[in-house]
Amino acid sequence: MTMDVKREEGEGGVVEIVEEGNVHGASNQPDKLDVVEELVGVVESVARFGDYRRTQRKECCGIVRRMKVLLPLFEEIRDLEKPLPEAGVVWLWNLKKAFLMAKKLLKTCNEGSKIHLALESEAVTVKFYAVYEKFSQALDGFPSEALEVSDEMKEQIELMSVQLRRARKRTDTQDIELAMDMMVVFSKTDDRNADSAIIERLAKKLALHTIEDLKIETIAVRNLVRERGRQNAETTQQIIDLLNKFKQVAGMEVTNVLEDPVMPKMLEKCTSLIIPHEFLCPISLEIMTDPVIVASGQTYERESIQKWFDSNHRTCPKTRQTLVHLSLAPNYALKNLILQWCEKNNFQLPKKDICECQEGSSAQLKEEVLSLVESLSSNLLEVQRKAVKKIRMLSKENPENRVLIAKSGGIPPLVHILSYPDSKIQEHAVTALLNLSIDETNKKLISRKGAIPSIIEVLQKGNIEARENSAAALFSLSMLDENKVTVGLAGGIPPLVDLLQNGTIRGKKDAVTALFNLSLNQANKARAISAGIVPSLLQLLKDTNLGMVDEALSIFLLLASHPDGRQEIGELSFIETLVEFIRDGTPKNKECATSVLLELGSNNSSFILAALQFGVYEHLTEVAKSGTNRAQRKANTLLQLISKSEQIP
């Protein structure tokens, strides 16, 4: 028999792909060794990728783990004394195709733009399903009788086949909070996004809050733009805009992503020299003048790692492991090597002559903050008003200020003055707490000091800006699951529903994001329904000019998983509205509306029958062909449910 082999350009150069046909010399021992070595090489190369983007980390690690499991099998095949049977060679070639497909996807999730991978998480999920399919097909063809390998390995392959079949059937596991954050950030109706707490929270979720991370992301975005050309220009610009917002939060200069070079300042000054990688600080990517060792064994520039620690981090930036202590040990050996290299190459180290000025400025700021915190407890209302306004401004500026204000004891007096009848003091205090809550540690401190009931009171009785910022503060605090419960029990949901119904556009936006987050808790779903959230959400669907259709549908999706929610929203008028969005909405509208209808129909077939009366079948068929990847999957599942329901007598 013969097997045709064609050569194609693929990742990493030319790869050989076996096509249907016959094998020349299938029992040839060198052929067996070649393909086994290639398979081992692919596994070793993906093992060196290291970390993966947060949005795909779980799936990537699962694929790598399965690839590694097969390494002992390759060892056994290497050691076979008999020539490998023809079926074995064919199987190895098919497995190699699956491995190369997996490697390409893993490389994308390792090196690709974090923002793009989060934005296109649904499309990437589909690619993972394709890899599972390829793996599954290869393993299902395992010639267990022809290959004389151990029973343990045969059992391992059978088990992996079962796991892959399960993975292929797994339902959507997207990070709902991350998806909601992305939705709000890319909204065109809220001009506060560049200054809001959500930018910093999203930067932390995507691990894009250090200078090193952002420089790497800039290169990834530039590569993405080059690959895309002029395709998806609007989405590409959104990614660039968000990257620039992250840079502003981190204190970096916003530059032209597509043109400006991304390299350390010292490298720009001396482009003819290549500074050894180990001489560069992993945080700043600049040559180190005062290298120090942290508890994990990694070395950083003292100033950079100290800023990291001062921002309430207790992990190693490079390894992400929690540090047992925060002591810094001078790395004299590396410092001497750097000095010798600089002398040999006539390279001038940057001078740290501004440090004393910075230290003086830092000490002055600490004194100012301590004085402001003390003034919060003054007997003079005007002194308190000025102090809380200044703290509000400082808490907005940068992460270091937020940590400093908390460490200086600023949170308890801010919580205390929330109950003052002075509307301006209330507004400044709740906004300062909103800014402080961006820091994860501060979230816990604020809630432990009993702030949530006071914030809810401001939400009920404060001026319009105070109410809006109270809603935003509850959203930020409710990122912690225990605070979702606290807000619900403290009666925070009814005033949020009232703001959703009667607030300004900005107020509605703050309320809808807070209610979405709180409704991730099952008990809060019932509270929101009792508070009358459904009519308010329906109003958002009717008034498309508000630009909150997707947010409203996302909350409906959560409510549809609750029995009370299904009963409340399962009216003919709502089903008709869903069908209208599936027919005429934006691609995202169609995706969300299809998801809601699927959730309703999966629990009660009468919802599907009602939708059929409004012609949903034709529209679902269209979505299944041309919708977003997630919408296509949801639409196909709905069509299957419709098919089953029609077969029921």
Side-chain angles (χ1 to χ4, degrees):
M1 296 181 68
T2 63
M3 177 171 285
D4 296 326
V5 179
K6 67 178 180 179
R7 298 173 68 80
E8 291 185 350
E9 288 294 331
E11 180 198 4
V14 177
V15 297
E16 292 184 340
I17 301 177
V18 180
E19 296 185 315
E20 295 297 329
N22 302 326
V23 181
H24 276 309
S27 59
N28 194 320
Q29 198 73 355
D31 288 345
K32 174 194 75 173
L33 294 176
D34 287 347
V35 70
V36 167
E37 291 300 328
E38 289 176 13
L39 286 165
V40 172
V42 174
V43 178
E44 290 176 346
S45 65
V46 301
R48 288 193 294 269
F49 281 158
D51 201 10
Y52 295 95
R53 303 321 191 209
R54 177 190 183 278
T55 42
Q56 289 83 26
R57 187 174 298 150
K58 182 178 178 181
E59 302 290 356
C60 289
C61 291
I63 288 179
V64 174
R65 185 175 64 252
R66 291 184 175 100
M67 293 172 74
K68 288 180 177 179
V69 165
L70 294 175
L71 284 174
L73 172 66
F74 302 149
E75 290 292 336
E76 290 189 23
I77 293 176
R78 273 175 177 159
D79 295 338
L80 288 177
E81 296 181 358
K82 297 180 180 179
L84 195 65
E86 179 180 311
V89 174
V90 173
W91 183 77
L92 287 174
W93 277 106
N94 288 333
L95 187 63
K96 178 185 170 184
K97 287 193 284 185
F99 270 33
L100 290 173
M101 185 178 182
K103 179 182 176 181
K104 183 176 182 180
L105 180 56
L106 291 169
K107 185 176 181 181
T108 298
C109 295
N110 173 254
E111 301 176 357
S113 161
K114 294 178 180 180
I115 300 173
H116 176 246
L117 286 170
L119 187 62
E120 301 292 338
S121 59
E122 294 298 327
V124 179
T125 298
V126 173
K127 293 182 180 180
F128 274 105
Y129 289 151
V131 169
Y132 295 149
E133 181 74 27
K134 201 76 172 176
F135 255 109
S136 187
Q137 290 174 356
L139 292 180
D140 287 345
F142 179 64
S144 57
E145 299 300 326
L147 285 179
E148 297 179 3
V149 295
S150 64
D151 291 339
E152 289 80 1
M153 279 313 309
K154 293 177 181 178
E155 292 172 0
Q156 187 68 57
I157 289 175
E158 289 179 8
L159 176 61
M160 196 185 300
S161 294
V162 173
Q163 292 173 341
L164 285 167
R165 283 194 290 272
R166 190 183 304 136
R168 285 158 53 196
K169 296 177 181 177
R170 189 165 55 235
T171 55
D172 197 335
T173 57
Q174 72 170 142
D175 183 332
I176 297 178
E177 289 185 350
L178 177 62
M180 191 67 179
D181 279 355
M182 296 292 287
M183 183 188 301
V184 173
V185 164
F186 287 123
S187 169
K188 296 179 180 178
T189 61
D190 191 347
D191 59 2
R192 297 175 305 135
N193 285 336
D195 299 321
S196 66
I198 197 171
I199 295 293
E200 277 199 54
R201 182 173 60 253
L202 192 56
K204 289 182 178 179
K205 280 188 175 185
L206 297 178
L208 287 174
H209 51 94
T210 69
I211 293 175
E212 178 188 15
D213 290 334
L214 289 166
K215 286 183 176 179
I216 294 171
E217 177 69 7
T218 301
I219 295 172
V221 170
R222 182 183 297 167
N223 291 336
L224 174 69
V225 173
R226 288 172 178 168
E227 291 171 9
R228 283 184 161 192
R230 296 184 179 180
Q231 295 178 341
N232 306 107
E234 183 178 355
T235 304
T236 300
Q237 190 58 50
Q238 285 182 321
I239 292 172
I240 293 173
D241 291 344
L242 182 55
L243 174 60
N244 285 334
K245 290 177 183 178
F246 288 159
K247 287 183 176 181
Q248 289 175 332
V249 169
M252 291 178 67
E253 181 183 357
V254 175
T255 57
N256 188 321
V257 171
L258 305 183
E259 296 178 5
D260 291 352
V262 183
M263 57 178 65
K265 294 178 181 177
M266 293 311 303
L267 285 177
E268 290 177 354
K269 296 176 183 177
C270 193
T271 54
S272 60
L273 275 180
I274 298 177
I275 301 176
H277 177 73
E278 58 270 21
F279 292 176
L280 302 178
C281 172
I283 296 176
S284 67
L285 291 184
E286 295 188 12
I287 190 167
M288 291 182 278
T289 60
D290 188 10
V292 292
I293 305 171
V294 299
S296 64
Q298 299 293 327
T299 296
Y300 299 92
E301 176 68 18
R302 183 186 295 274
E303 183 181 352
S304 297
I305 192 64
Q306 192 60 58
K307 284 184 178 179
W308 175 262
F309 291 158
D310 290 344
S311 297
N312 265 353
H313 293 102
R314 296 296 179 266
T315 57
C316 171
K318 195 169 184 180
T319 66
R320 298 297 177 184
Q321 70 185 83
T322 302
L323 300 174
V324 295
H325 61 77
L326 302 184
S327 301
L328 303 175
N331 192 336
Y332 293 118
L334 180 59
K335 186 172 183 177
N336 287 333
L337 287 173
I338 293 173
L339 291 173
Q340 291 172 15
W341 181 87
C342 289
E343 184 177 353
K344 180 180 178 181
N345 293 278
N346 196 26
F347 184 89
Q348 187 68 39
L349 279 173
K351 296 187 181 297
K352 297 290 184 177
D353 52 0
I354 61 170
C355 287
E356 290 183 9
C357 177
Q358 288 178 338
E359 288 174 5
S361 175
S362 177
Q364 186 178 355
L365 179 61
K366 288 179 181 179
E367 288 183 13
E368 181 186 8
V369 169
L370 285 170
S371 175
L372 289 169
V373 170
E374 187 177 344
S375 296
L376 290 176
S377 302
S378 171
N379 293 325
L380 300 174
L381 192 63
E382 187 59 31
V383 172
Q384 288 180 308
R385 188 182 289 118
K386 289 181 178 178
V388 71
K389 183 178 181 180
K390 181 62 176 177
I391 286 179
R392 170 183 178 174
M393 293 170 60
L394 288 172
S395 64
K396 182 181 179 180
E397 287 182 1
N398 55 58
E400 290 78 13
N401 285 1
R402 290 189 272 277
V403 173
L404 178 58
I405 292 169
K407 285 186 174 180
S408 301
I411 290 176
L414 284 172
V415 174
H416 177 70
I417 63 177
L418 278 177
S419 59
Y420 278 30
D422 186 285
S423 61
K424 269 299 174 185
I425 283 185
Q426 281 187 346
E427 177 192 324
H428 292 321
V430 79
T431 308
L433 289 170
L434 164 62
N435 295 336
L436 292 172
S437 71
I438 297 171
D439 182 271
E440 292 300 312
T441 302
N442 287 350
K443 278 184 174 65
K444 297 178 182 179
L445 286 173
I446 292 169
S447 57
R448 287 171 186 167
K449 295 302 177 182
I452 289 176
S454 298
I455 293 173
I456 292 172
E457 188 174 348
V458 175
L459 174 64
Q460 293 170 320
K461 303 176 182 178
N463 63 35
I464 186 61
E465 186 171 350
R467 293 181 67 202
E468 292 167 352
N469 289 342
S470 295
L474 291 179
F475 172 51
S476 179
L477 292 171
S478 66
M479 299 305 292
L480 299 180
D481 288 339
E482 60 265 30
N483 287 346
K484 290 182 178 69
V485 176
T486 303
V487 173
L489 291 174
I493 290 178
L496 283 171
V497 172
D498 180 69
L499 184 63
L500 179 65
Q501 186 170 0
N502 302 310
T504 62
I505 293 179
R506 171 176 164 173
K508 291 177 186 290
K509 175 73 74 172
D510 289 324
V512 78
T513 52
L515 286 165
F516 172 86
N517 215 31
L518 290 166
S519 296
L520 293 169
N521 175 275
Q522 190 73 357
N524 284 343
K525 294 175 186 175
R527 295 186 179 105
I529 294 163
S530 299
I533 191 174
V534 171
S536 300
L537 292 175
L538 286 172
Q539 189 59 43
L540 294 185
L541 295 183
K542 292 177 183 177
D543 191 353
T544 55
N545 291 328
L546 293 174
M548 285 180 260
V549 170
D550 294 335
E551 288 89 334
L553 289 172
S554 296
I555 297 180
F556 271 126
L557 179 58
L558 295 176
L559 300 180
S561 66
H562 193 284
D564 293 347
R566 289 193 293 275
Q567 182 176 350
E568 183 78 15
I569 66 181
E571 300 176 358
L572 284 179
S573 59
F574 177 69
I575 300 300
E576 184 177 7
T577 300
L578 282 182
V579 175
E580 288 173 356
F581 278 115
I582 294 173
R583 181 189 66 207
D584 299 324
T586 67
K588 189 66 178 178
N589 292 164
K590 293 180 180 182
E591 175 187 312
C592 293
T594 303
S595 299
V596 175
L597 184 57
L598 176 59
E599 182 65 36
L600 291 170
S602 298
N603 289 279
N604 190 331
S605 59
S606 64
F607 293 119
I608 295 179
L609 296 176
L612 286 172
Q613 295 176 17
F614 299 107
V616 76
Y617 189 91
E618 178 185 349
H619 310 316
L620 285 175
T621 304
E622 183 61 31
V623 172
K625 293 178 182 177
S626 58
T628 66
N629 289 314
R630 184 168 182 248
Q632 288 179 10
R633 295 208 311 276
K634 301 292 185 181
N636 281 318
T637 305
L638 256 174
L639 290 170
Q640 291 173 9
L641 281 177
I642 292 173
S643 178
K644 290 179 181 178
S645 65
E646 290 176 344
Q647 294 174 9
I648 299 175

